[in-house]
Amino acid sequence: MIAIGCDQGGFALKQIYMEYLKENGYEFEDFGSYDEKSIDYPVIAKKVCAAIQQKQCDKGILICGTGIGMSIAANKMKGIRASVCHEAFTAEITRRHNDSNVLCVGARVIGSEVALSVLKAWLTAEFEGGRHQRRVDLMTQMENEQ
Ligand code: RB5
C-alpha cells in the first residue's frame, strides 16, 4: 500500500500520479491535500510518514512545489528515507542503494511526463541489500542515537 500526499503546489501532479497508480494496479491511500488551497506541507508529510511508521503503508509519495520541503519534513520522521528525484536515474538508484521509502517530487520543477518516468523508475526498482544494507543500517543507527 502506497501513501500519497501533496500541498497546493503538488495537487495537479498528485492527480496524475493517482491515475497512473490506479491504471497500473497499485493500491494507494490519499492523505490529502484534497484541493489547491494553501496548506502547510509538513502537515501532509507527517500524515504520509506516520502511515509508513504504523505499517499501514510500506511506501510514500510526497509532492510539493520543489519536493524539498516535503523531503526535509519527511526525513525528520524515524524510519523514513525520503529522496527528492527529478529524473529516473536517481529515482532508480535511491531504491536500489538507499532503500528509499518515500519519493518526493517538485511539480514546479519537472513536467508531468518526466515526473511519470521518475515514478515508474522508483516503483519498479528493488533494494539490493549487501553493502547497501550496511550503509542503511548506519543511517538507522545515527537516527537512534539522536
Ligand atoms: C509552497 O509554495 C512551496 O513552498 C512548497 O510547495 C514547496 O515547494 C516547499 O518546499
Side-chain angles (χ1 to χ4, degrees), residues 7-10 38-39 41 63-71 106 108:
D7 72 357
Q8 67 278 12
S38 180
I39 186 166
Y41 57 80
I63 312 162
C64 64
T66 60
I68 295 172
M70 284 293 197
S71 72
R108 294 176 181 151

